Amino acid sequence: MYKRQVLLQATAAAVGVSKLGAAIGAGLAVIGAGLGIGKIGGSAMEAIARQPEASGDIRMNMIIAAALIEGVALLAVVVCLLVFFL
């Protein structure tokens, strides 16, 4: 009987740790996406300042890169939420 109680306590502790890991993972994904998009925006503004005639191409590439980063961040948050709630 004692071994079963120990197993149940270990399982409960593992569930708590996995939820903590999911929450930390979701937070890191959002922070990483924010930093990445900020770096893309800053670099794009610097590039436009150096070559104003290429602003259309730079802006288009910036938007595509930001959308890809957002997609990856959203996927990471969804996976973390699935781990958190399941």
Side-chain angles (χ1 to χ4, degrees):
M1 192 66 162
Y2 179 71
K3 290 181 182 179
R4 184 177 293 171
Q5 289 175 345
V6 170
L7 279 175
L8 288 175
Q9 288 175 353
T11 305
V15 168
V17 170
S18 70
K19 289 188 177 194
L20 177 66
I24 290 172
L28 287 175
V30 170
I31 290 170
L35 290 173
I37 292 174
K39 185 161 178 64
I40 288 172
S43 297
M45 293 301 111
E46 184 178 331
I48 290 172
R50 289 181 183 216
Q51 278 189 320
E53 64 274 2
S55 65
D57 292 335
I58 294 169
R59 189 178 306 118
M60 181 182 61
N61 289 331
M62 178 186 70
I63 290 172
I64 290 172
L68 290 173
I69 290 174
E70 282 292 324
V72 171
L74 181 64
L75 180 68
V77 169
V78 167
V79 168
C80 290
L81 287 176
L82 284 174
V83 169
F84 188 76
F85 288 115
L86 295 180

